[in-house]
Amino acid sequence: MSLNPEITSKQQYNFNKLQKRLRRNVGEAIADFSMIEEGDRIMVCLSGGKDSYTLLEILRSLQKSAPINFSLIAVNLDQKQPGFPGHILPQYLESLGVEYKIIEEDTYSIVKEKIPEGKTTCSLCSRLRRGILYRTATELGCTKIALGHHRDDIIQTLFLNMFYGGKMKGMPPKLMSDDGKHIVIRPLAYCREKDIIRFSQAKQFPIIPCNLCGSQPNLQRQVIGDMLRDWDKRYPGRIETMFSAMQNIVPSHMADTTLFDFHAVTHGSPIVEGGDLAFDREDIPATPTSWQAEDEDSELRVLNRLDIVELN
């Protein structure tokens, strides 16, 4: 796709900067977690939403300049939801020349049969979808499965598990699948959702609604998401600092006996992570740690967020 010839030089500049940042974020995540290796065949799960479109676009862009060779195949699962526009993804992918596979499985009928009317169907639906995609990855000879979860999804999951599950657990950027047969990667792990939204709008991706099944929304996730978005508006840098905290765990200052041997702390033991400050209060930075305002962050506070358009 090419840029709309009527856009201004500022809009073009902002779009290029946004795309560069997303490429950098994805490249850093791939490097930090060794997500992609020479010869990998990567199954990119494409739902038709902004996240998976962005994932495919950035991976295709990096593929052209990467120092290693890897291939991509986009895979979509048509679950036979009423009104699903089955023509959109094939037309889009063929226009790009991307290898793809559309799987047709009527999981919609199974879910509707098992879940009472008015209850959320997302849990059962996702389990069925996961099994089908794992099977497909094996059939296609894929070495990695790439999902479109981003930084905000990871933080949101952390809070969901803390508030409702009683554990500190987020989404792993890279991990073995629950069936023990596939490596799942999340290359957008360092990407902000607001960047993905603006990129998706600029690229004018043919978005497919995610509520075609008529399922009730996950209210717990929605509440957490609203809370995080409110924090992001009122306290700039808080989201960045929370994600940084997920990368700087100090087991000795938590309370998990499986991660730190508290029984081994005796007189003469070495000081760990600065030791215990006892009655002294720990110095907390006035400005969120590791956060630096980017150019557009100030622009986002005014009426029109980032002035970007693309694409015909």
Side-chain angles (χ1 to χ4, degrees):
M1 290 191 247
S2 59
L3 285 171
N4 186 325
E6 296 181 359
I7 70 171
T8 66
S9 58
K10 179 183 179 182
Q11 290 168 338
Q12 175 70 71
Y13 169 77
N14 284 332
F15 174 78
N16 290 342
K17 186 169 63 173
L18 173 63
Q19 182 170 245
K20 182 178 180 181
R21 181 163 61 251
L22 286 169
R23 277 176 51 95
R24 181 178 69 247
N25 290 156
V26 172
E28 288 175 351
I30 289 173
D32 287 351
F33 300 100
S34 299
M35 291 185 183
I36 299 177
E37 301 168 284
E38 176 69 34
D40 267 343
R41 179 167 168 79
I42 301 170
M43 186 175 93
V44 181
C45 297
L46 196 63
S47 66
K50 62 177 174 37
D51 303 330
S52 59
Y53 275 127
T54 298
L55 173 63
L56 178 62
E57 182 71 14
I58 298 301
L59 286 179
R60 289 178 65 240
S61 176
L62 291 174
Q63 188 183 32
K64 297 173 184 176
S65 57
I68 59 174
N69 296 307
F70 61 92
S71 61
L72 303 171
I73 177 169
V75 171
N76 170 258
L77 173 58
D78 180 352
Q79 299 175 269
K80 298 305 175 183
Q81 298 164 336
F84 181 79
H87 65 285
I88 288 182
L89 287 174
Q91 287 182 359
Y92 174 74
L93 294 168
E94 286 170 11
S95 72
L96 298 179
V98 172
E99 182 183 2
Y100 73 92
K101 181 177 179 63
I102 306 295
I103 312 157
E104 297 186 6
E105 294 272 358
D106 188 5
T107 61
Y108 174 80
S109 296
I110 297 173
V111 169
K112 284 300 182 182
E113 179 184 338
K114 301 292 184 183
I115 304 296
E117 189 69 29
K119 298 292 185 180
T120 180
T121 61
C122 298
S123 178
L124 176 57
C125 182
S126 64
R127 286 201 300 273
L128 293 172
R129 183 171 62 244
R130 188 164 64 243
I132 294 168
L133 291 173
Y134 287 170
R135 184 194 71 209
T136 302
T138 299
E139 293 172 353
L140 295 175
C142 294
T143 55
K144 304 280 173 61
I145 300 174
L147 303 180
H149 299 113
H150 46 70
R151 185 201 65 181
D152 299 59
D153 289 324
I154 293 173
I155 296 174
Q156 199 175 97
T157 303
L158 173 69
F159 275 89
L160 278 168
N161 279 314
M162 284 199 300
F163 289 177
Y164 302 105
K167 62 179 68 174
M168 296 193 71
K169 175 184 176 183
M171 274 182 182
K174 175 187 176 184
L175 203 64
M176 183 64 68
S177 61
D178 57 349
D179 67 353
K181 298 178 181 179
H182 305 90
I183 296 177
V184 178
I185 60 175
R186 294 180 170 89
L188 299 182
Y190 289 169
C191 296
R192 307 184 300 185
E193 182 176 28
K194 55 190 176 185
D195 284 344
I196 293 171
I197 291 172
R198 294 199 296 276
F199 185 74
S200 177
Q201 291 170 343
K203 297 290 287 185
Q204 297 180 357
F205 292 133
I207 301 297
I208 298 175
C210 62
N211 60 350
L212 293 173
C213 59
S215 173
Q216 296 296 312
N218 185 322
L219 295 180
Q220 294 172 327
R221 183 172 289 277
Q222 184 174 309
V223 168
I224 297 295
D226 290 343
M227 178 190 75
L228 294 176
R229 283 185 287 272
D230 179 60
W231 283 356
D232 192 39
K233 291 178 182 177
R234 293 197 291 153
Y235 310 107
R238 177 174 288 188
I239 303 298
E240 284 77 8
T241 303
M242 287 191 296
F243 189 73
S244 179
M246 294 184 71
Q247 299 173 287
N248 291 280
I249 309 297
V250 184
S252 61
H253 287 56
M254 301 297 283
D256 189 336
T257 57
T258 65
L259 297 181
F260 185 79
D261 188 1
F262 293 95
H263 295 288
V265 178
T266 59
H267 287 288
S269 295
I271 296 174
V272 178
E273 293 289 344
D276 195 315
L277 299 178
F279 302 107
D280 293 340
R281 293 184 177 181
E282 187 171 354
D283 292 331
I284 304 296
T287 302
T289 302
S290 76
W291 177 70
Q292 291 183 340
E294 298 185 21
D295 292 342
E296 84 282 2
D297 284 326
S298 58
E299 297 176 24
L300 295 180
R301 309 304 170 189
V302 297
L303 293 177
N304 297 320
R305 294 178 75 89
L306 192 58
D307 189 15
I308 303 176
V309 288
E310 216 199 11
L311 280 173
N312 284 323

